[in-house]
Amino acid sequence: MFRLCRHNSAGRACCLAVKLSAAMLMLVCWFGTRIAYAGTKAADRPTLQVTPSSVTLLVNEASTCTAVDQDGRALKAVEWSIRPQIAELKEVDGEVTIIGKQAGRAVLTARGNDQFATAAVTIVAGEKLPVGTVRWTVEPLPGYETLMVVQAVPSQAAPTFYSVEWSKSEKAVVRALTESGQQLWRTQLLSSASPMTLKNTVPAPGQVLQNDALISDHSMFIIGEKSGFALNNATDPSSYGLPADGKSIFLGASGDDAGGMVFLERGRFRDALVDLSAAGDEVWRYRSEGRLTNHWTVNWSGDIGIVETLAKPPSSALLVLNAGTGIVRFKIPFPVSSSTIDGYRCADPQRNILKSVRPSVSGSVFTSTDGNMYLQVGTHVESLLIENCKNKNYTFDETLALLRVTPEGENEWKTFQHIHADGEGGMIAQPRIFAGESIPDGFGGVLAAWTYLSPDNSGGQIRSEARLSRISELGQRDFTLPMPYWTKGLNSFFDSNMVLGEGNFLYAVNGPQLLRMDTEKGEVNWVRHPPKGEVKLDHSTAGGGVLVSNAGLLVYFDADGNGGAMPCTLAGSNPEDIGLVQTDLLDGKPMEALQLREADFTWAGGYIAVEDGAPYGRGRLVHFLVK
């Protein structure tokens, strides 16, 4: 998931939105035929529901609510009332605008379809609401919890948010909402979902060939000291959390470039990328013959760039899908990685070659400020020749290359790291380099983060380094950061470890550390290491600072590295959640804090958040203040 200072799958549009909103942060301490998706079980669907479910207003402030029917569509024939009458109601085409008149609590009631439904209204006296005040909430459907929220790219008459809800027994549901929490429509997906499906990974495919004959479909790598160099992955798809054949699971979503939503579904043997329009219609579905990465980018033309990996033969490529149809416009194949032993059965006088072939690994793809897509690709090729049961010679070659693809499909490869070795005798351990995240550098170039692994283990363990290359038409500069790694898995994928701040200063994290770097001068300004928990980047702020989350808190660091937790947050019972302090706005008494699994800054200011589910919370969608 590209912002002003942080890239994501929504590309340029997200970047512009954060630029417009960044100053506000200093005030706080994604065939045109509708698919007939199955609905939730009829017995569980509310026949009438008010959205949002609760709202908080100042006196003389206004907010709008909508009543939706069993199918999730807005009703026109609705009668509204409020008790006690602390607000004025103005009804137009079924909607009601609430105008606060006096402080207090009230129940807003909608009557329609011979049913009634309610929402909670709180009106507060004063000129402004406290930081952390929940402006509105949306309760999940019965039997569901909110899984994630996706901000739509701003577009006329399009939703502002897409809320994805999950159930243990039913398929996932998408609800389209306005900026004030009103529901526009609801549809049920073909896939099931849970917090665990968002983390689903499958091993890279590969093949082991002996004398060009296939002997395994599940190879990993690499040449070892013994003859058994090919490790086999498990062959049972269920061991990777994959669904039964014909079923699918939900892996993630983003806004498209037209106000709709793009999401990824994973089946037992192949994946699909799907585009929903702003009206809730399935516009297109790209059915892969293999696997798609759960990160993608939307370029300035609305086209989608995503990496596809195929098993037979093992290969990978960057696909650029047409924004309107989902048809592949361009396919840029990646080089193939391999490990070869010539003379595997050294006592056999016949030709015997054992070879492991696998797709090359890529980093995160993003759309830069020049409108082009970029990503890193790492290629590994090695071989060993054995004669008369003795190692005769070896070769080793490893590259990191930056791929650039224009909106017209023109592509260019630029190798920015290269390790080569060859010699007599057996394979000698060599340094390894692993592709990672890439973002704009703020000066028309690219910042490419990658991991260096040293073969020197004299200290008892393999040494790794977090490295960074700044690449542009003017040249290249390489930096070693004061972090031992980018990810603990060393070669594991990462796409949210860097954010570019005001003045084009880089903020980077690796989990336990946060640092600020001047990439123009090549200097690290400061490093911070919290006493516990991991640091996750949120976004940069006006004035050159950055907002992060750590140990249940939202923490602001200024450009000089002075940090402090926002008083509206605290550590909760689930250490992975952000705790949002709550106070009764009418009597000032402390209330139980909300535990939030996810919180994102919105286009127009404020935060849209996902409350944790049982036992920590009610799984609601929550919009709260940050100023």
Side-chain angles (χ1 to χ4, degrees), residues 485-492 510-512 534:
Y485 51 79
W486 282 105
T487 60
K488 292 181 180 179
L490 298 184
N491 63 339
S492 56
N510 70 342
E534 295 193 346

Side-chain angles (χ1 to χ4, degrees), residues 205 270-273 286-295 305-311 313-321 328 330-334 359-360 362 365 375:
R270 55 190 59 86
D271 296 345
L273 196 67
Y286 174 73
R287 294 177 172 87
S288 172
E289 290 302 313
R291 298 299 183 189
L292 299 170
T293 52
N294 58 359
H295 54 97
I306 189 168
V307 174
E308 180 180 56
T309 302
L310 303 180
S315 62
S316 52
L318 176 66
L319 305 183
V320 179
L321 307 179
V328 177
F330 313 113
K331 181 176 182 178
I332 299 92
F334 300 163
S360 292
S362 62
V365 58
L375 83 162

